Amino acid sequence: MKSSLALAATLLSATASAQTPLDPAALRDAALEDELAWDITEGLTTEIGPRPAGSAAEARARDWGADRLRALGFQDVRIETFPVPVWERGTESAFVTAPFPQPLHLIALGNSGSTPRDGITGEVAMFDSVAALEAAPDEAVAGKIVYIGHAMRATQSGIGYGQFGAPRRQGPSIASRKGAAAIVVRSIGTDDSSVGHTGVQTFAQGVQPIPAAALANSSADQLERIAARGEPVRMRLVLTSRQTGNHDSGNVIAEVPGRDPDAGIVLVGCHLDSWDVGTGAIDDASGCGIVTAAAKRVMDAGTPRRPIRIVWFGSEEIGLFGGAAYGEAHADEKHALAAESDFGADAIWRFDSDLTDGAAPVAARMAAALAPLGIAQGPTDAAHGSDIGPLAEAGVGIVQLQQDGTRYFDWHHTAEDTLDKVDKPQLQQNVAAWTAMIAVAANAEEDMLAD
Amino acid sequence: MKSSLALAATLLSATASAQTPLDPAALRDAALEDELAWDITEGLTTEIGPRPAGSAAEARARDWGADRLRALGFQDVRIETFPVPVWERGTESAFVTAPFPQPLHLIALGNSGSTPRDGITGEVAMFDSVAALEAAPDEAVAGKIVYIGHAMRATQSGIGYGQFGAPRRQGPSIASRKGAAAIVVRSIGTDDSSVGHTGVQTFAQGVQPIPAAALANSSADQLERIAARGEPVRMRLVLTSRQTGNHDSGNVIAEVPGRDPDAGIVLVGCHLDSWDVGTGAIDDASGCGIVTAAAKRVMDAGTPRRPIRIVWFGSEEIGLFGGAAYGEAHADEKHALAAESDFGADAIWRFDSDLTDGAAPVAARMAAALAPLGIAQGPTDAAHGSDIGPLAEAGVGIVQLQQDGTRYFDWHHTAEDTLDKVDKPQLQQNVAAWTAMIAVAANAEEDMLAD
């Protein structure tokens, strides 16, 4: 905290001399005292709470967002709806019945199959990786409850999520193909708590859904200790849930008009939906707060050259539905650049980009404007944020402002994703970085469109 | 960690020269490499898990403990049973129905009344203290769901538990007397998590039990934010539970014979039962590990002057039943000193005592033996540990080895009370301190009995 505040004071004092309103440095420094991103994050998480994809709460959140964006002075605020398949959580419990009877803590994964109301009981087949499960003969798995562990550790970049997320993403389909009765994976998270991490998994085509859940990390530790005693482990699982068919989801879109629409839209995004167990503060209300507050600062400084478009995507968590719907609906529009904030609210430490060659001077000016915030230059072949994937594939330039993810996977997709996890000075650093980046992108004279 | 290990190395090297086996300093230093306390803590939490008072799991834990104590070479290992009234947790959920519909996280308090299966719905009456509730007119409370907040903060001594525990201990009876339909209090804990803190409360004589629960601290924050918007808040509570009548609980007792039984017993205790939601690692399996490992070290060094008695008390959590049963059953025996470990497993930082005047030289030798572990001299009118209260009231000398409680109330009475919260080097420091203290007490030539 102290370092962020000290930095803010230094920057503010260094830029006290008069500068033009559109100077990215001046806008950046003023944004270090931003209140709007916090207000949006606090408001959305408090007045709506959890916002599961396709739910009534997500619909209320769209209306809340549209009202708020209009009140902030954005133009042409609208909701673009699309249908999504909805899975609903039911009752969840796990109990080791042998050799040491005791409860464990777990949470169902998205699209889990359902047990009967009284649950199922079976022997547990222990694996320490997806590869080990894949290598196992079917008879070692058939009729059993599969467990897969892993050893995810916290990193600044969150780089382990891809590797260590495999048990959740691929484990259920592999287990089902081998005839497993159910699967429980170690939570894809870096905490040692009793709170499980949910997340989507989708059974592969033709694969029978089976009950699928994530054990809280302290319960995964416990199960591994119990199994290490060498006796067969049996477990009772109650995991009721249901598919409720298609329901409306939607993207909330708002515009800052530009002087030269042909120069292409600068799109800044976040996602509005959240998992059902927390209030989605770091995933991703804070992202919506950050990009909206930054866009407003640039808007209020005077009409930019390029239009700026804010998109609060719907139904990201269950399979990037909002990004796909947007990509289809807006394929014919010129986008100069797209960027999404969807990795919490801790400080940005690296500026990644994937822009056309002609935009190299723009990237250089962005890097210069970001450096005083402690942001390093990262790769120029950036991975793209989730909902802007379709735009990236269509050749739109991408900027990624990488947030510190050290704490992120302690709380990701859990009941712990609540407002208290958002650190306001770091949130303000995010707004400052986004403000500078948007100001540069929206006012650059260079052509930023891909050929 | 490093400082503990470095300390251990220094002490071990400083005492490498030959010393008598009963030298407390030598025993203390060797205990810094203790493995037994960890083994007991790991074993009890893994092979039994949660051990609710009066449950089948607590009965299994008694057998586990008696077997282990016998295997360690203690004498006259036995179980002394007594009946306890048992309350059983059922289904628990909270949902804000207005103005902002959303779920909250909570946990029922011990002896909570039960709602119907479908729950109850009512307006929430917000209070920030027990005093504010007491001062409220009945009509502000009648028929409503009372909420009481507080502002507990972490301290090394845990001193806030008395003050800030009042909403849990007194709130339900006061709310019921004023006609409240139910009560939810802010969890008595210092965390910001989604995991609620349970704990016992007992409705006062003649007071109608009402549903009583603790909101997780992040949910209490959320409810306070929602209420601060100024609109009436309504909540649906499902809190089913039941009283199942009297069941057996018991104390597990083991002896180290002494050369001079008339010099009085040195009693070292812990409690075997735990709450139902975690595995009771810091509350209080580690306490049993610490006192047992320390007593064994003194036993193995040669027959002490005084007998040493280990007591793993039953049913502490629901009202100190084990301590009361022991006090009654053993009122006629001579106890020279009693001490209990029941505040986690973090390092001991203060040595408190309440001994007869004649034992002042004993206390001085204890303090000298403890000082190299970084343990300061505390008050000589020590508060007494819970289960040894009846002994203290009967005039038995008391020693309290105060553990660092800074982290304790983050996890106390929650699902987070699991083995990963026990830090082995600090656990070993506890064993070293207890070993030194017991060695001094059991071998002191001074008369330590009260008149």
Side-chain angles (χ1 to χ4, degrees):
Chain A
M1 305 313 89
K2 276 178 190 163
S3 61
S4 295
L5 291 171
L7 177 68
T10 308
L11 292 170
L12 289 168
S13 118
T15 56
S17 54
Q19 303 199 340
T20 66
L22 275 172
D23 177 55
L27 292 177
R28 173 198 68 207
D29 297 351
L32 286 168
E33 299 200 331
D34 181 78
E35 293 290 333
L36 179 57
W38 177 266
D39 284 351
I40 290 172
T41 307
E42 195 268 357
L44 194 52
T45 54
T46 301
E47 298 179 13
I48 307 297
R51 306 170 295 283
S55 70
E58 197 199 22
R60 287 197 300 273
R62 286 194 292 280
D63 291 339
W64 187 98
D67 288 349
R68 190 72 196 258
L69 290 163
R70 276 186 205 105
L72 288 169
F74 293 103
Q75 301 296 305
D76 196 15
V77 177
R78 61 203 186 274
I79 293 169
E80 295 181 353
T81 59
F82 49 85
V84 293
V86 172
W87 170 91
E88 266 186 19
R89 188 181 306 286
T91 299
E92 306 176 337
S93 69
F95 195 91
V96 172
T97 57
F100 309 128
Q102 57 187 283
L104 299 176
H105 299 275
L106 88 179
I107 186 168
L109 299 175
N111 296 316
S112 169
S114 184
T115 66
R117 190 194 286 195
D118 295 340
I120 59 170
T121 303
E123 189 177 329
V124 180
M126 304 285 295
F127 297 97
D128 59 9
S129 68
V130 166
L133 171 62
E134 259 179 318
D138 287 5
E139 54 270 30
V141 172
K144 295 184 179 171
I145 297 171
V146 164
Y147 168 81
I148 312 181
H150 62 81
M152 185 175 182
R153 289 292 170 268
T155 61
Q156 189 178 31
S157 67
I159 196 170
Y161 188 46
Q163 176 188 350
F164 293 110
R168 185 191 91 204
R169 287 187 287 257
Q170 298 155 35
S173 289
I174 298 168
S176 179
R177 279 208 191 91
K178 289 178 179 284
I183 180 171
V184 293
V185 303
R186 175 183 279 275
S187 275
I188 313 306
T190 50
D191 58 298
D192 281 322
S193 85
S194 70
V195 179
H197 295 241
T198 188
V200 76
Q201 62 83 36
T202 307
F203 286 99
Q205 195 75 28
V207 171
Q208 175 69 25
I210 56 174
L215 285 177
N217 277 314
S218 66
S219 286
D221 291 344
Q222 183 79 341
L223 181 64
E224 292 180 9
R225 275 192 297 268
I226 291 171
R229 298 299 205 259
E231 295 177 62
V233 179
R234 292 183 64 82
M235 190 188 286
R236 182 171 68 240
L237 285 178
V238 177
L239 288 170
T240 65
S241 63
R242 61 198 186 111
Q243 300 281 357
T244 68
N246 279 348
H247 296 265
D248 270 356
S249 183
N251 297 325
V252 183
I253 303 181
E255 312 279 356
V256 177
R259 299 190 308 272
D260 180 3
D262 292 339
I265 297 160
V266 173
L267 182 149
V268 293
C270 61
H271 69 84
L272 181 56
D273 65 309
S274 76
W275 279 99
D276 51 342
V277 282
T279 60
I282 60 166
D283 189 15
D284 183 32
S286 56
C288 294
I290 290 163
V291 303
T292 304
K296 176 161 172 62
R297 285 176 175 274
V298 177
M299 175 175 76
D300 290 351
T303 305
R305 180 182 169 226
R306 293 188 167 81
I308 302 166
R309 176 173 292 170
I310 298 169
V311 186
W312 294 13
F313 291 99
S315 294
E316 189 268 354
E317 294 293 1
I318 63 168
L320 313 179
F321 285 87
Y326 180 89
E328 277 178 37
H330 298 273
D332 295 340
E333 287 179 284
K334 284 187 185 171
H335 290 84
L337 182 146
E340 183 166 11
S341 176
D342 180 21
F343 198 52
D346 279 353
I348 294 168
W349 63 284
R350 203 178 72 189
F351 160 60
D352 302 355
S353 62
D354 187 6
L355 302 174
T356 55
D357 291 347
V362 184
R365 289 204 300 282
M366 287 179 182
L370 295 169
L373 295 170
I375 299 171
Q377 173 77 58
T380 53
D381 57 347
H384 49 72
S386 41
D387 288 305
I388 56 174
L391 294 174
E393 280 161 32
V396 174
I398 296 293
V399 161
Q400 184 133 342
L401 295 176
Q402 281 276 11
Q403 292 159 302
D404 180 355
T406 310
R407 310 190 301 166
Y408 189 66
F409 289 105
D410 285 351
W411 308 317
H412 178 246
H413 293 184
T414 75
E416 297 300 334
D417 181 358
T418 49
L419 184 64
D420 50 285
K421 308 307 184 299
V422 177
D423 176 49
K424 192 170 171 184
Q426 295 192 73
L427 182 75
Q428 290 170 318
Q429 188 259 18
N430 273 264
V431 178
W434 278 83
T435 300
M437 186 278 285
I438 296 171
V440 171
N443 290 294
E445 292 301 327
E446 292 88 343
D447 186 5
M448 293 172 62
L449 300 176
D451 298 326
Chain B
M1 309 313 92
K2 275 178 193 164
S3 61
S4 295
L5 292 172
L7 177 66
T10 307
L11 292 171
L12 288 168
S13 119
T15 57
S17 55
Q19 301 201 342
T20 66
L22 275 172
D23 178 54
L27 291 178
R28 171 197 70 207
D29 297 350
L32 287 168
E33 298 198 333
D34 181 78
E35 294 291 332
L36 179 57
W38 177 267
D39 284 351
I40 290 172
T41 307
E42 195 268 357
L44 194 52
T45 56
T46 301
E47 298 179 14
I48 308 297
R51 305 170 296 283
S55 70
E58 195 199 23
R60 287 196 299 275
R62 285 194 292 278
D63 291 339
W64 187 99
D67 288 349
R68 189 73 196 256
L69 289 163
R70 275 185 207 106
L72 288 168
F74 293 103
Q75 300 297 305
D76 195 17
V77 177
R78 62 204 186 272
I79 294 169
E80 295 182 355
T81 58
F82 49 86
V84 294
V86 172
W87 170 91
E88 267 187 16
R89 187 182 305 287
T91 300
E92 305 176 337
S93 70
F95 196 92
V96 172
T97 57
F100 309 128
Q102 58 188 282
L104 299 176
H105 299 274
L106 88 178
I107 186 168
L109 298 176
N111 297 315
S112 169
S114 183
T115 66
R117 190 194 284 197
D118 296 340
I120 59 170
T121 303
E123 187 175 332
V124 180
M126 304 285 294
F127 298 96
D128 59 9
S129 68
V130 166
L133 170 63
E134 259 179 318
D138 288 4
E139 54 269 30
V141 172
K144 295 186 179 171
I145 297 171
V146 164
Y147 167 82
I148 312 180
H150 62 81
M152 187 177 181
R153 290 290 170 268
T155 60
Q156 189 178 30
S157 67
I159 196 169
Y161 188 48
Q163 177 188 350
F164 293 110
R168 185 191 91 205
R169 288 187 286 257
Q170 299 156 34
S173 289
I174 298 168
S176 178
R177 279 207 192 92
K178 289 177 179 284
I183 179 170
V184 293
V185 302
R186 175 182 280 275
S187 274
I188 313 306
T190 50
D191 59 297
D192 281 321
S193 85
S194 69
V195 179
H197 296 240
T198 187
V200 78
Q201 62 82 36
T202 306
F203 286 100
Q205 194 75 27
V207 171
Q208 175 70 26
I210 56 174
L215 284 176
N217 277 314
S218 66
S219 286
D221 292 344
Q222 182 79 340
L223 181 65
E224 291 180 11
R225 275 191 297 268
I226 290 170
R229 299 301 206 257
E231 297 177 61
V233 178
R234 292 182 65 81
M235 188 188 289
R236 182 171 67 240
L237 285 179
V238 178
L239 287 170
T240 65
S241 65
R242 61 197 186 112
Q243 300 281 357
T244 67
N246 279 348
H247 296 264
D248 268 357
S249 183
N251 297 324
V252 183
I253 303 181
E255 312 280 354
V256 177
R259 299 190 308 272
D260 181 2
D262 292 339
I265 298 160
V266 173
L267 183 150
V268 293
C270 61
H271 68 84
L272 181 56
D273 65 309
S274 76
W275 279 99
D276 51 342
V277 282
T279 60
I282 61 167
D283 189 12
D284 182 29
S286 56
C288 293
I290 290 162
V291 302
T292 304
K296 177 162 170 60
R297 285 177 176 274
V298 177
M299 174 175 75
D300 289 351
T303 304
R305 179 180 171 226
R306 293 187 167 82
I308 302 167
R309 176 173 291 171
I310 299 170
V311 186
W312 295 12
F313 292 99
S315 295
E316 188 268 355
E317 294 293 2
I318 63 169
L320 313 179
F321 285 87
Y326 180 88
E328 278 179 36
H330 299 271
D332 295 339
E333 287 178 285
K334 283 187 186 173
H335 291 83
L337 182 146
E340 183 166 12
S341 176
D342 181 21
F343 198 52
D346 279 352
I348 294 167
W349 64 284
R350 204 178 71 191
F351 160 60
D352 302 356
S353 62
D354 187 5
L355 302 174
T356 54
D357 291 346
V362 184
R365 289 204 300 282
M366 288 179 181
L370 295 169
L373 296 171
I375 299 171
Q377 172 78 57
T380 52
D381 57 347
H384 49 74
S386 40
D387 288 306
I388 56 174
L391 294 174
E393 280 161 33
V396 175
I398 295 293
V399 161
Q400 184 133 344
L401 295 175
Q402 282 276 10
Q403 293 159 301
D404 180 355
T406 310
R407 312 190 301 166
Y408 189 67
F409 289 105
D410 285 352
W411 309 315
H412 178 247
H413 293 184
T414 75
E416 298 299 334
D417 182 358
T418 50
L419 184 64
D420 50 285
K421 307 307 182 300
V422 177
D423 176 49
K424 192 170 171 184
Q426 294 191 73
L427 182 75
Q428 290 170 319
Q429 188 259 17
N430 272 263
V431 178
W434 277 82
T435 301
M437 187 277 286
I438 296 170
V440 170
N443 290 293
E445 293 301 328
E446 291 89 343
D447 185 6
M448 293 172 64
L449 301 175
D451 299 326

